[in-house]
Amino acid sequence: MQELDDYINRVQHLPPAPKILPQLLSTLSRDDVENSNVVDLMMYDPSLTAAALHLCNSAFFAGKAPATNLSEAVSRLGFNKIYQLVAAVSGSRALSPPQKGYGINEGELWKHSVTTAVAGQLMAKELGDDENLIFTCGLLHDIGKVVLAQALEHIYAKMVEDVEKNQSTLLDAEKRLLGVQHAEIGGRLLARWKFPPNIVAAVWFHHHPAMATVHSRLASYVYLANMIAYFIGHGYGHHAFALRGRAEALEILGLSGDDLPHFMIQTYENFEVVEALLTAQV
Amino acid sequence: MPPTNLPGFENKVIVGIADMAVSNNPGIILTTYSLGSCLGVAVFDPVARVGGLLHAMLPDSSLDPAKAAANPAMFLDTGVPALIRTVCDLKGEVRRLKVYLAGGAQIMDSTGFFNIGKRNYRAVIDLLAHNQIKIEAEHVGGFVNRTMHLSIATGGVSLKVSGQAKDIALCKN
């Protein structure tokens, strides 16, 4: 743990914290939540509010007449949609700049993150789990890459060589070359930002879902959604497929191998949602 | 009558995921981006000068027959025959077709549950072998994603592989 904190403390430019998300998630999980609770949380961040309204009025989400204020947007779109818009807008601040260390161009990590979020949400909907929670985990699962990218930029060639020569996973190559890897850094960062333990564990163990113990179900969603995003070609750097197959992720969710193509098709059919959320910018 | 394509300007036609396009217009370049575990299949008849490009997601239409009926390009076992048929509609002939494959990236998977890249490749190999069509060149598997281009003017096929600065020529024409 100290090692992770030391690493994070040494990094000069940390991504901005999507602070509103844990609060909003906990507000929305209450049975007696009202529109005004959501609006109260959002109004302290004017640029977030403006971006959410803009997205709400974009071609994809817009209704007949544009929403002119937050309260209207919340009641029109419903809590789930509003949550996803807010998550997309605040996530884009951290995830849309380029991460050269991974050979990822501007926007590629962001596209990968949004696709993972949407894939996870579709799975959660069908299997009856908390869509917003899984959307959030999917969106933030690679936040550790933003932290590591600065260091990796200088040793990128070595990492590629390590993957090719030793047939090692990207995760192992990171650990060997930097002493830390992106999943644990991401998990630790979210913990420092006061995200709840379930989201922290899902991100921390998104390459080892069984190790997430009580949160292994959530981590399995992120593991599979991440893989679906890779499979259908959405946003990745060099050697993105250098990751290990974990059959336990299917088992934990009660799925079989044949369910994976099914969720790939569903994600493909929701590309317009992905595209709409990608335009979220603050 | 003005020429449809000005010299030096080529029109790029983007083939999406679960999508295909066929052309005999020499001004056209067919391009498909982000082949992950998906497989790109390019075919070209150098005599009729007609070619096509398919970007299929999954190996087998039995995974979802209804979707396959609506969009044959989603699966290789329906997409490849549809691609070849459409090329033949434009006077292409099967025996003259040059076939190129790219994509089918595969994670490190000893479980076999996540081998969609391999299964996509297998599906095409079997189908082509069954119809006695040989593969001219391929760049498949590995951990990388790829972009594939087919020039209708030349029949040339080139690839951009993630993390590599230079394009790879599958067929230099």
Side-chain angles (χ1 to χ4, degrees), chain A residues 167-168 227 231-233 236 238-241 243-247 264 268-269, chain B residues 17 34 36-37 57-58 67 74 107-108 113-114 116 143-145 162-163:
Chain A
Q167 290 290 296
S168 67
M227 183 132 57
F231 279 4
I232 60 178
Y236 36 12
H238 194 37
H239 285 338
F241 279 68
L243 58 100
R244 198 116 11 235
R246 308 268 180 213
M264 283 170 69
Y268 157 78
E269 289 181 336
Chain B
I17 299 178
S34 57
S37 64
M57 258 172 90
L58 293 162
K67 303 266 188 235
M74 188 176 278
I107 66 158
M108 297 167 172
F113 286 109
F114 306 106
I116 287 172
F143 306 139
V144 293
N145 74 317
S162 62

PDB file of all heavy atoms in Angstrom, chain A residues 167-168 227 231-233 236 238-241 243-247 264 268-269, chain B residues 17 34 36-37 57-58 67 74 107-108 113-114 116 143-145 162-163:
ATOM      1  N   GLN A 167       6.374 -13.070 -23.683  1.00  0.00           N
ATOM      2  CA  GLN A 167       4.943 -13.384 -23.724  1.00  0.00           C
ATOM      3  C   GLN A 167       4.296 -13.031 -22.385  1.00  0.00           C
ATOM      4  O   GLN A 167       3.471 -13.778 -21.860  1.00  0.00           O
ATOM      5  CB  GLN A 167       4.724 -14.865 -24.065  1.00  0.00           C
ATOM      6  CG  GLN A 167       5.085 -15.216 -25.493  1.00  0.00           C
ATOM      7  CD  GLN A 167       4.100 -14.623 -26.500  1.00  0.00           C
ATOM      8  OE1 GLN A 167       2.936 -14.972 -26.518  1.00  0.00           O
ATOM      9  NE2 GLN A 167       4.547 -13.689 -27.324  1.00  0.00           N
ATOM     10  N   SER A 168       4.720 -11.915 -21.815  1.00  0.00           N
ATOM     11  CA  SER A 168       4.124 -11.527 -20.534  1.00  0.00           C
ATOM     12  C   SER A 168       2.934 -10.610 -20.776  1.00  0.00           C
ATOM     13  O   SER A 168       2.806  -9.991 -21.832  1.00  0.00           O
ATOM     14  CB  SER A 168       5.173 -10.846 -19.653  1.00  0.00           C
ATOM     15  OG  SER A 168       5.564  -9.614 -20.208  1.00  0.00           O
ATOM     16  N   MET A 227     -12.960  -6.747 -21.730  1.00  0.00           N
ATOM     17  CA  MET A 227     -12.608  -7.656 -22.816  1.00  0.00           C
ATOM     18  C   MET A 227     -13.514  -7.437 -24.035  1.00  0.00           C
ATOM     19  O   MET A 227     -13.040  -7.456 -25.177  1.00  0.00           O
ATOM     20  CB  MET A 227     -12.719  -9.096 -22.327  1.00  0.00           C
ATOM     21  CG  MET A 227     -12.289 -10.072 -23.374  1.00  0.00           C
ATOM     22  SD  MET A 227     -11.173 -11.285 -22.729  1.00  0.00           S
ATOM     23  CE  MET A 227     -12.102 -11.957 -21.433  1.00  0.00           C
ATOM     24  N   PHE A 231     -12.376  -6.692 -27.792  1.00  0.00           N
ATOM     25  CA  PHE A 231     -12.774  -7.577 -28.887  1.00  0.00           C
ATOM     26  C   PHE A 231     -13.388  -6.788 -30.039  1.00  0.00           C
ATOM     27  O   PHE A 231     -13.078  -7.025 -31.188  1.00  0.00           O
ATOM     28  CB  PHE A 231     -13.763  -8.637 -28.386  1.00  0.00           C
ATOM     29  CG  PHE A 231     -13.107  -9.799 -27.688  1.00  0.00           C
ATOM     30  CD1 PHE A 231     -11.739  -9.827 -27.465  1.00  0.00           C
ATOM     31  CD2 PHE A 231     -13.868 -10.872 -27.241  1.00  0.00           C
ATOM     32  CE1 PHE A 231     -11.134 -10.900 -26.819  1.00  0.00           C
ATOM     33  CE2 PHE A 231     -13.269 -11.963 -26.601  1.00  0.00           C
ATOM     34  CZ  PHE A 231     -11.912 -11.970 -26.389  1.00  0.00           C
ATOM     35  N   ILE A 232     -14.287  -5.864 -29.701  1.00  0.00           N
ATOM     36  CA  ILE A 232     -14.944  -5.153 -30.794  1.00  0.00           C
ATOM     37  C   ILE A 232     -14.143  -3.948 -31.266  1.00  0.00           C
ATOM     38  O   ILE A 232     -14.624  -3.133 -32.037  1.00  0.00           O
ATOM     39  CB  ILE A 232     -16.411  -4.768 -30.468  1.00  0.00           C
ATOM     40  CG1 ILE A 232     -16.456  -3.864 -29.257  1.00  0.00           C
ATOM     41  CG2 ILE A 232     -17.270  -5.999 -30.250  1.00  0.00           C
ATOM     42  CD1 ILE A 232     -17.865  -3.427 -28.934  1.00  0.00           C
ATOM     43  N   GLY A 233     -12.906  -3.867 -30.807  1.00  0.00           N
ATOM     44  CA  GLY A 233     -11.963  -2.921 -31.413  1.00  0.00           C
ATOM     45  C   GLY A 233     -12.030  -1.504 -30.891  1.00  0.00           C
ATOM     46  O   GLY A 233     -11.590  -0.583 -31.567  1.00  0.00           O
ATOM     47  N   TYR A 236      -7.615   1.177 -27.859  1.00  0.00           N
ATOM     48  CA  TYR A 236      -6.581   0.556 -27.051  1.00  0.00           C
ATOM     49  C   TYR A 236      -5.213   0.888 -27.614  1.00  0.00           C
ATOM     50  O   TYR A 236      -5.062   1.355 -28.733  1.00  0.00           O
ATOM     51  CB  TYR A 236      -6.745  -0.948 -26.937  1.00  0.00           C
ATOM     52  CG  TYR A 236      -7.257  -1.679 -28.163  1.00  0.00           C
ATOM     53  CD1 TYR A 236      -7.338  -1.064 -29.394  1.00  0.00           C
ATOM     54  CD2 TYR A 236      -7.659  -2.999 -28.043  1.00  0.00           C
ATOM     55  CE1 TYR A 236      -7.825  -1.755 -30.485  1.00  0.00           C
ATOM     56  CE2 TYR A 236      -8.138  -3.690 -29.135  1.00  0.00           C
ATOM     57  CZ  TYR A 236      -8.218  -3.054 -30.345  1.00  0.00           C
ATOM     58  OH  TYR A 236      -8.690  -3.730 -31.405  1.00  0.00           O
ATOM     59  N   HIS A 238      -0.933  -0.350 -27.923  1.00  0.00           N
ATOM     60  CA  HIS A 238      -0.219  -1.461 -28.511  1.00  0.00           C
ATOM     61  C   HIS A 238      -0.291  -2.693 -27.602  1.00  0.00           C
ATOM     62  O   HIS A 238      -0.225  -2.580 -26.400  1.00  0.00           O
ATOM     63  CB  HIS A 238       1.235  -1.049 -28.705  1.00  0.00           C
ATOM     64  CG  HIS A 238       1.977  -1.990 -29.591  1.00  0.00           C
ATOM     65  ND1 HIS A 238       1.386  -2.588 -30.685  1.00  0.00           N
ATOM     66  CD2 HIS A 238       3.239  -2.440 -29.547  1.00  0.00           C
ATOM     67  CE1 HIS A 238       2.275  -3.369 -31.264  1.00  0.00           C
ATOM     68  NE2 HIS A 238       3.398  -3.304 -30.595  1.00  0.00           N
ATOM     69  N   HIS A 239      -0.433  -3.856 -28.187  1.00  0.00           N
ATOM     70  CA  HIS A 239      -0.469  -5.106 -27.420  1.00  0.00           C
ATOM     71  C   HIS A 239      -1.586  -5.162 -26.399  1.00  0.00           C
ATOM     72  O   HIS A 239      -1.437  -5.743 -25.322  1.00  0.00           O
ATOM     73  CB  HIS A 239       0.873  -5.355 -26.716  1.00  0.00           C
ATOM     74  CG  HIS A 239       1.946  -5.815 -27.655  1.00  0.00           C
ATOM     75  ND1 HIS A 239       1.663  -6.407 -28.854  1.00  0.00           N
ATOM     76  CD2 HIS A 239       3.286  -5.770 -27.567  1.00  0.00           C
ATOM     77  CE1 HIS A 239       2.794  -6.700 -29.469  1.00  0.00           C
ATOM     78  NE2 HIS A 239       3.790  -6.319 -28.716  1.00  0.00           N
ATOM     79  N   ALA A 240      -2.696  -4.533 -26.722  1.00  0.00           N
ATOM     80  CA  ALA A 240      -3.803  -4.469 -25.768  1.00  0.00           C
ATOM     81  C   ALA A 240      -4.318  -5.861 -25.404  1.00  0.00           C
ATOM     82  O   ALA A 240      -4.883  -6.062 -24.339  1.00  0.00           O
ATOM     83  CB  ALA A 240      -4.930  -3.637 -26.349  1.00  0.00           C
ATOM     84  N   PHE A 241      -4.128  -6.819 -26.314  1.00  0.00           N
ATOM     85  CA  PHE A 241      -4.660  -8.162 -26.058  1.00  0.00           C
ATOM     86  C   PHE A 241      -3.740  -9.001 -25.163  1.00  0.00           C
ATOM     87  O   PHE A 241      -4.025 -10.169 -24.922  1.00  0.00           O
ATOM     88  CB  PHE A 241      -4.908  -8.899 -27.382  1.00  0.00           C
ATOM     89  CG  PHE A 241      -6.217  -8.520 -28.040  1.00  0.00           C
ATOM     90  CD1 PHE A 241      -6.391  -7.254 -28.562  1.00  0.00           C
ATOM     91  CD2 PHE A 241      -7.257  -9.430 -28.141  1.00  0.00           C
ATOM     92  CE1 PHE A 241      -7.588  -6.887 -29.161  1.00  0.00           C
ATOM     93  CE2 PHE A 241      -8.454  -9.076 -28.740  1.00  0.00           C
ATOM     94  CZ  PHE A 241      -8.619  -7.811 -29.251  1.00  0.00           C
ATOM     95  N   LEU A 243      -3.431  -9.835 -22.247  1.00  0.00           N
ATOM     96  CA  LEU A 243      -4.048 -10.027 -20.936  1.00  0.00           C
ATOM     97  C   LEU A 243      -4.508 -11.467 -20.814  1.00  0.00           C
ATOM     98  O   LEU A 243      -4.671 -12.160 -21.820  1.00  0.00           O
ATOM     99  CB  LEU A 243      -5.213  -9.049 -20.710  1.00  0.00           C
ATOM    100  CG  LEU A 243      -6.364  -9.057 -21.701  1.00  0.00           C
ATOM    101  CD1 LEU A 243      -7.533  -9.841 -21.156  1.00  0.00           C
ATOM    102  CD2 LEU A 243      -6.819  -7.629 -21.961  1.00  0.00           C
ATOM    103  N   ARG A 244      -4.686 -11.896 -19.584  1.00  0.00           N
ATOM    104  CA  ARG A 244      -4.900 -13.301 -19.332  1.00  0.00           C
ATOM    105  C   ARG A 244      -6.395 -13.653 -19.287  1.00  0.00           C
ATOM    106  O   ARG A 244      -7.190 -12.894 -18.758  1.00  0.00           O
ATOM    107  CB  ARG A 244      -4.211 -13.650 -18.004  1.00  0.00           C
ATOM    108  CG  ARG A 244      -3.976 -15.071 -17.820  1.00  0.00           C
ATOM    109  CD  ARG A 244      -2.578 -15.699 -17.717  1.00  0.00           C
ATOM    110  NE  ARG A 244      -1.351 -15.003 -17.555  1.00  0.00           N
ATOM    111  CZ  ARG A 244      -0.315 -15.154 -18.391  1.00  0.00           C
ATOM    112  NH1 ARG A 244      -0.426 -15.912 -19.465  1.00  0.00           N
ATOM    113  NH2 ARG A 244       0.809 -14.550 -18.157  1.00  0.00           N
ATOM    114  N   GLY A 245      -6.755 -14.829 -19.866  1.00  0.00           N
ATOM    115  CA  GLY A 245      -8.146 -15.291 -19.830  1.00  0.00           C
ATOM    116  C   GLY A 245      -8.509 -15.797 -18.439  1.00  0.00           C
ATOM    117  O   GLY A 245      -7.794 -16.611 -17.877  1.00  0.00           O
ATOM    118  N   ARG A 246      -9.579 -15.289 -17.864  1.00  0.00           N
ATOM    119  CA  ARG A 246     -10.016 -15.704 -16.516  1.00  0.00           C
ATOM    120  C   ARG A 246     -11.420 -16.282 -16.609  1.00  0.00           C
ATOM    121  O   ARG A 246     -12.405 -15.541 -16.602  1.00  0.00           O
ATOM    122  CB  ARG A 246     -10.036 -14.506 -15.562  1.00  0.00           C
ATOM    123  CG  ARG A 246      -8.766 -13.697 -15.523  1.00  0.00           C
ATOM    124  CD  ARG A 246      -7.831 -14.193 -14.450  1.00  0.00           C
ATOM    125  NE  ARG A 246      -6.602 -13.399 -14.441  1.00  0.00           N
ATOM    126  CZ  ARG A 246      -5.423 -13.901 -14.124  1.00  0.00           C
ATOM    127  NH1 ARG A 246      -5.293 -15.167 -13.800  1.00  0.00           N
ATOM    128  NH2 ARG A 246      -4.355 -13.137 -14.129  1.00  0.00           N
ATOM    129  N   ALA A 247     -11.476 -17.597 -16.707  1.00  0.00           N
ATOM    130  CA  ALA A 247     -12.781 -18.249 -16.854  1.00  0.00           C
ATOM    131  C   ALA A 247     -13.662 -18.010 -15.626  1.00  0.00           C
ATOM    132  O   ALA A 247     -14.885 -18.022 -15.711  1.00  0.00           O
ATOM    133  CB  ALA A 247     -12.595 -19.741 -17.090  1.00  0.00           C
ATOM    134  N   MET A 264     -21.334  -9.053 -26.911  1.00  0.00           N
ATOM    135  CA  MET A 264     -20.609  -8.284 -27.942  1.00  0.00           C
ATOM    136  C   MET A 264     -21.606  -7.672 -28.924  1.00  0.00           C
ATOM    137  O   MET A 264     -21.486  -6.503 -29.299  1.00  0.00           O
ATOM    138  CB  MET A 264     -19.640  -9.194 -28.706  1.00  0.00           C
ATOM    139  CG  MET A 264     -18.363  -9.532 -27.953  1.00  0.00           C
ATOM    140  SD  MET A 264     -17.395 -10.823 -28.788  1.00  0.00           S
ATOM    141  CE  MET A 264     -16.830  -9.956 -30.257  1.00  0.00           C
ATOM    142  N   TYR A 268     -22.330  -3.710 -29.574  1.00  0.00           N
ATOM    143  CA  TYR A 268     -22.281  -3.176 -30.948  1.00  0.00           C
ATOM    144  C   TYR A 268     -23.583  -2.449 -31.293  1.00  0.00           C
ATOM    145  O   TYR A 268     -23.576  -1.374 -31.888  1.00  0.00           O
ATOM    146  CB  TYR A 268     -22.015  -4.328 -31.922  1.00  0.00           C
ATOM    147  CG  TYR A 268     -22.461  -4.072 -33.336  1.00  0.00           C
ATOM    148  CD1 TYR A 268     -21.710  -3.265 -34.189  1.00  0.00           C
ATOM    149  CD2 TYR A 268     -23.652  -4.626 -33.818  1.00  0.00           C
ATOM    150  CE1 TYR A 268     -22.126  -3.016 -35.483  1.00  0.00           C
ATOM    151  CE2 TYR A 268     -24.072  -4.392 -35.109  1.00  0.00           C
ATOM    152  CZ  TYR A 268     -23.314  -3.579 -35.942  1.00  0.00           C
ATOM    153  OH  TYR A 268     -23.733  -3.337 -37.210  1.00  0.00           O
ATOM    154  N   GLU A 269     -24.692  -3.026 -30.878  1.00  0.00           N
ATOM    155  CA  GLU A 269     -25.989  -2.408 -31.201  1.00  0.00           C
ATOM    156  C   GLU A 269     -26.256  -1.141 -30.385  1.00  0.00           C
ATOM    157  O   GLU A 269     -27.206  -0.417 -30.671  1.00  0.00           O
ATOM    158  CB  GLU A 269     -27.110  -3.438 -31.009  1.00  0.00           C
ATOM    159  CG  GLU A 269     -27.041  -4.500 -32.104  1.00  0.00           C
ATOM    160  CD  GLU A 269     -28.114  -5.559 -32.017  1.00  0.00           C
ATOM    161  OE1 GLU A 269     -28.645  -5.766 -30.901  1.00  0.00           O
ATOM    162  OE2 GLU A 269     -28.416  -6.170 -33.052  1.00  0.00           O
TER     163      GLU A 269
ATOM    164  N   ILE B  17     -17.971  -1.922 -38.293  1.00  0.00           N
ATOM    165  CA  ILE B  17     -17.979  -3.263 -37.701  1.00  0.00           C
ATOM    166  C   ILE B  17     -19.265  -3.957 -38.128  1.00  0.00           C
ATOM    167  O   ILE B  17     -20.324  -3.328 -38.188  1.00  0.00           O
ATOM    168  CB  ILE B  17     -17.909  -3.168 -36.158  1.00  0.00           C
ATOM    169  CG1 ILE B  17     -16.611  -2.467 -35.742  1.00  0.00           C
ATOM    170  CG2 ILE B  17     -17.991  -4.551 -35.521  1.00  0.00           C
ATOM    171  CD1 ILE B  17     -16.477  -2.288 -34.244  1.00  0.00           C
ATOM    172  N   SER B  34     -10.052  -0.531 -36.614  1.00  0.00           N
ATOM    173  CA  SER B  34     -10.204  -1.229 -35.332  1.00  0.00           C
ATOM    174  C   SER B  34     -10.675  -2.673 -35.443  1.00  0.00           C
ATOM    175  O   SER B  34     -11.695  -3.065 -34.909  1.00  0.00           O
ATOM    176  CB  SER B  34     -11.105  -0.438 -34.376  1.00  0.00           C
ATOM    177  OG  SER B  34     -12.366  -0.162 -34.889  1.00  0.00           O
ATOM    178  N   GLY B  36     -10.245  -5.832 -33.889  1.00  0.00           N
ATOM    179  CA  GLY B  36      -9.701  -6.437 -32.670  1.00  0.00           C
ATOM    180  C   GLY B  36      -9.706  -7.940 -32.859  1.00  0.00           C
ATOM    181  O   GLY B  36      -8.942  -8.490 -33.650  1.00  0.00           O
ATOM    182  N   SER B  37     -10.629  -8.619 -32.168  1.00  0.00           N
ATOM    183  CA  SER B  37     -10.778 -10.053 -32.419  1.00  0.00           C
ATOM    184  C   SER B  37     -11.577 -10.281 -33.702  1.00  0.00           C
ATOM    185  O   SER B  37     -11.663 -11.397 -34.207  1.00  0.00           O
ATOM    186  CB  SER B  37     -11.462 -10.731 -31.234  1.00  0.00           C
ATOM    187  OG  SER B  37     -12.771 -10.240 -31.072  1.00  0.00           O
ATOM    188  N   MET B  57     -17.685  -9.761 -37.041  1.00  0.00           N
ATOM    189  CA  MET B  57     -17.452  -9.798 -35.599  1.00  0.00           C
ATOM    190  C   MET B  57     -17.253 -11.188 -35.037  1.00  0.00           C
ATOM    191  O   MET B  57     -16.479 -11.411 -34.122  1.00  0.00           O
ATOM    192  CB  MET B  57     -18.711  -9.259 -34.910  1.00  0.00           C
ATOM    193  CG  MET B  57     -18.645  -7.862 -34.404  1.00  0.00           C
ATOM    194  SD  MET B  57     -20.304  -7.386 -33.862  1.00  0.00           S
ATOM    195  CE  MET B  57     -20.229  -7.886 -32.190  1.00  0.00           C
ATOM    196  N   LEU B  58     -18.058 -12.138 -35.568  1.00  0.00           N
ATOM    197  CA  LEU B  58     -18.166 -13.439 -34.920  1.00  0.00           C
ATOM    198  C   LEU B  58     -18.125 -14.562 -35.945  1.00  0.00           C
ATOM    199  O   LEU B  58     -18.439 -14.356 -37.115  1.00  0.00           O
ATOM    200  CB  LEU B  58     -19.482 -13.500 -34.125  1.00  0.00           C
ATOM    201  CG  LEU B  58     -19.556 -12.565 -32.906  1.00  0.00           C
ATOM    202  CD1 LEU B  58     -20.992 -12.360 -32.467  1.00  0.00           C
ATOM    203  CD2 LEU B  58     -18.710 -13.105 -31.758  1.00  0.00           C
ATOM    204  N   LYS B  67     -30.160 -12.248 -36.187  1.00  0.00           N
ATOM    205  CA  LYS B  67     -29.253 -11.129 -36.521  1.00  0.00           C
ATOM    206  C   LYS B  67     -28.540 -11.412 -37.845  1.00  0.00           C
ATOM    207  O   LYS B  67     -28.306 -10.500 -38.635  1.00  0.00           O
ATOM    208  CB  LYS B  67     -28.191 -10.949 -35.431  1.00  0.00           C
ATOM    209  CG  LYS B  67     -28.743 -10.723 -34.050  1.00  0.00           C
ATOM    210  CD  LYS B  67     -28.867  -9.258 -33.728  1.00  0.00           C
ATOM    211  CE  LYS B  67     -29.224  -9.079 -32.268  1.00  0.00           C
ATOM    212  NZ  LYS B  67     -30.419  -8.287 -32.058  1.00  0.00           N
ATOM    213  N   MET B  74     -22.304  -9.627 -40.032  1.00  0.00           N
ATOM    214  CA  MET B  74     -21.928  -9.769 -38.626  1.00  0.00           C
ATOM    215  C   MET B  74     -21.127 -11.053 -38.386  1.00  0.00           C
ATOM    216  O   MET B  74     -20.263 -11.110 -37.520  1.00  0.00           O
ATOM    217  CB  MET B  74     -23.208  -9.762 -37.777  1.00  0.00           C
ATOM    218  CG  MET B  74     -22.958  -9.701 -36.283  1.00  0.00           C
ATOM    219  SD  MET B  74     -24.508  -9.568 -35.353  1.00  0.00           S
ATOM    220  CE  MET B  74     -24.850  -7.820 -35.474  1.00  0.00           C
ATOM    221  N   ILE B 107      -6.395 -12.909 -26.925  1.00  0.00           N
ATOM    222  CA  ILE B 107      -5.772 -12.709 -25.610  1.00  0.00           C
ATOM    223  C   ILE B 107      -5.033 -13.984 -25.200  1.00  0.00           C
ATOM    224  O   ILE B 107      -5.118 -15.003 -25.885  1.00  0.00           O
ATOM    225  CB  ILE B 107      -6.799 -12.317 -24.518  1.00  0.00           C
ATOM    226  CG1 ILE B 107      -7.771 -13.472 -24.239  1.00  0.00           C
ATOM    227  CG2 ILE B 107      -7.548 -11.052 -24.893  1.00  0.00           C
ATOM    228  CD1 ILE B 107      -8.432 -13.385 -22.882  1.00  0.00           C
ATOM    229  N   MET B 108      -4.306 -13.927 -24.077  1.00  0.00           N
ATOM    230  CA  MET B 108      -3.592 -15.111 -23.574  1.00  0.00           C
ATOM    231  C   MET B 108      -4.585 -15.979 -22.833  1.00  0.00           C
ATOM    232  O   MET B 108      -4.921 -15.707 -21.685  1.00  0.00           O
ATOM    233  CB  MET B 108      -2.492 -14.672 -22.616  1.00  0.00           C
ATOM    234  CG  MET B 108      -1.445 -13.819 -23.281  1.00  0.00           C
ATOM    235  SD  MET B 108      -0.409 -13.044 -22.047  1.00  0.00           S
ATOM    236  CE  MET B 108       0.834 -12.315 -23.099  1.00  0.00           C
ATOM    237  N   PHE B 113     -12.311 -20.114 -23.323  1.00  0.00           N
ATOM    238  CA  PHE B 113     -13.588 -19.392 -23.273  1.00  0.00           C
ATOM    239  C   PHE B 113     -13.539 -18.065 -24.021  1.00  0.00           C
ATOM    240  O   PHE B 113     -14.560 -17.494 -24.349  1.00  0.00           O
ATOM    241  CB  PHE B 113     -14.002 -19.128 -21.819  1.00  0.00           C
ATOM    242  CG  PHE B 113     -14.501 -20.339 -21.105  1.00  0.00           C
ATOM    243  CD1 PHE B 113     -13.744 -20.935 -20.107  1.00  0.00           C
ATOM    244  CD2 PHE B 113     -15.723 -20.901 -21.446  1.00  0.00           C
ATOM    245  CE1 PHE B 113     -14.198 -22.064 -19.448  1.00  0.00           C
ATOM    246  CE2 PHE B 113     -16.184 -22.029 -20.792  1.00  0.00           C
ATOM    247  CZ  PHE B 113     -15.425 -22.615 -19.795  1.00  0.00           C
ATOM    248  N   PHE B 114     -12.324 -17.569 -24.232  1.00  0.00           N
ATOM    249  CA  PHE B 114     -12.190 -16.221 -24.784  1.00  0.00           C
ATOM    250  C   PHE B 114     -11.470 -16.245 -26.132  1.00  0.00           C
ATOM    251  O   PHE B 114     -10.741 -15.327 -26.468  1.00  0.00           O
ATOM    252  CB  PHE B 114     -11.431 -15.331 -23.794  1.00  0.00           C
ATOM    253  CG  PHE B 114     -12.042 -15.325 -22.415  1.00  0.00           C
ATOM    254  CD1 PHE B 114     -11.445 -16.000 -21.361  1.00  0.00           C
ATOM    255  CD2 PHE B 114     -13.233 -14.654 -22.186  1.00  0.00           C
ATOM    256  CE1 PHE B 114     -12.012 -15.990 -20.097  1.00  0.00           C
ATOM    257  CE2 PHE B 114     -13.806 -14.640 -20.924  1.00  0.00           C
ATOM    258  CZ  PHE B 114     -13.205 -15.317 -19.876  1.00  0.00           C
ATOM    259  N   ILE B 116     -12.355 -15.986 -29.277  1.00  0.00           N
ATOM    260  CA  ILE B 116     -13.160 -15.543 -30.418  1.00  0.00           C
ATOM    261  C   ILE B 116     -12.285 -15.184 -31.617  1.00  0.00           C
ATOM    262  O   ILE B 116     -12.639 -15.479 -32.761  1.00  0.00           O
ATOM    263  CB  ILE B 116     -14.095 -14.401 -29.989  1.00  0.00           C
ATOM    264  CG1 ILE B 116     -15.212 -15.024 -29.137  1.00  0.00           C
ATOM    265  CG2 ILE B 116     -14.683 -13.659 -31.186  1.00  0.00           C
ATOM    266  CD1 ILE B 116     -16.110 -14.075 -28.463  1.00  0.00           C
ATOM    267  N   PHE B 143      -1.437  -9.788 -30.345  1.00  0.00           N
ATOM    268  CA  PHE B 143      -2.103  -8.972 -29.324  1.00  0.00           C
ATOM    269  C   PHE B 143      -2.503  -7.589 -29.843  1.00  0.00           C
ATOM    270  O   PHE B 143      -2.831  -6.715 -29.069  1.00  0.00           O
ATOM    271  CB  PHE B 143      -1.167  -8.767 -28.125  1.00  0.00           C
ATOM    272  CG  PHE B 143      -0.624 -10.038 -27.543  1.00  0.00           C
ATOM    273  CD1 PHE B 143       0.704 -10.125 -27.145  1.00  0.00           C
ATOM    274  CD2 PHE B 143      -1.442 -11.152 -27.384  1.00  0.00           C
ATOM    275  CE1 PHE B 143       1.213 -11.298 -26.604  1.00  0.00           C
ATOM    276  CE2 PHE B 143      -0.937 -12.325 -26.846  1.00  0.00           C
ATOM    277  CZ  PHE B 143       0.385 -12.395 -26.452  1.00  0.00           C
ATOM    278  N   VAL B 144      -2.419  -7.397 -31.140  1.00  0.00           N
ATOM    279  CA  VAL B 144      -2.550  -6.046 -31.692  1.00  0.00           C
ATOM    280  C   VAL B 144      -3.887  -5.807 -32.386  1.00  0.00           C
ATOM    281  O   VAL B 144      -4.587  -6.757 -32.752  1.00  0.00           O
ATOM    282  CB  VAL B 144      -1.430  -5.766 -32.718  1.00  0.00           C
ATOM    283  CG1 VAL B 144      -0.079  -5.721 -32.026  1.00  0.00           C
ATOM    284  CG2 VAL B 144      -1.421  -6.810 -33.820  1.00  0.00           C
ATOM    285  N   ASN B 145      -4.239  -4.531 -32.557  1.00  0.00           N
ATOM    286  CA  ASN B 145      -5.388  -4.216 -33.410  1.00  0.00           C
ATOM    287  C   ASN B 145      -4.902  -3.638 -34.733  1.00  0.00           C
ATOM    288  O   ASN B 145      -3.777  -3.167 -34.843  1.00  0.00           O
ATOM    289  CB  ASN B 145      -6.376  -3.295 -32.710  1.00  0.00           C
ATOM    290  CG  ASN B 145      -5.879  -1.876 -32.628  1.00  0.00           C
ATOM    291  OD1 ASN B 145      -4.719  -1.646 -32.322  1.00  0.00           O
ATOM    292  ND2 ASN B 145      -6.741  -0.927 -32.893  1.00  0.00           N
ATOM    293  N   SER B 162      -1.415  -1.398 -34.660  1.00  0.00           N
ATOM    294  CA  SER B 162      -1.267  -0.520 -33.498  1.00  0.00           C
ATOM    295  C   SER B 162       0.152  -0.579 -32.955  1.00  0.00           C
ATOM    296  O   SER B 162       0.742  -1.650 -32.849  1.00  0.00           O
ATOM    297  CB  SER B 162      -2.260  -0.911 -32.399  1.00  0.00           C
ATOM    298  OG  SER B 162      -1.997  -2.236 -31.955  1.00  0.00           O
ATOM    299  N   GLY B 163       0.734   0.582 -32.642  1.00  0.00           N
ATOM    300  CA  GLY B 163       2.060   0.635 -32.052  1.00  0.00           C
ATOM    301  C   GLY B 163       3.181   0.580 -33.081  1.00  0.00           C
ATOM    302  O   GLY B 163       4.347   0.705 -32.741  1.00  0.00           O
TER     303      GLY B 163
END
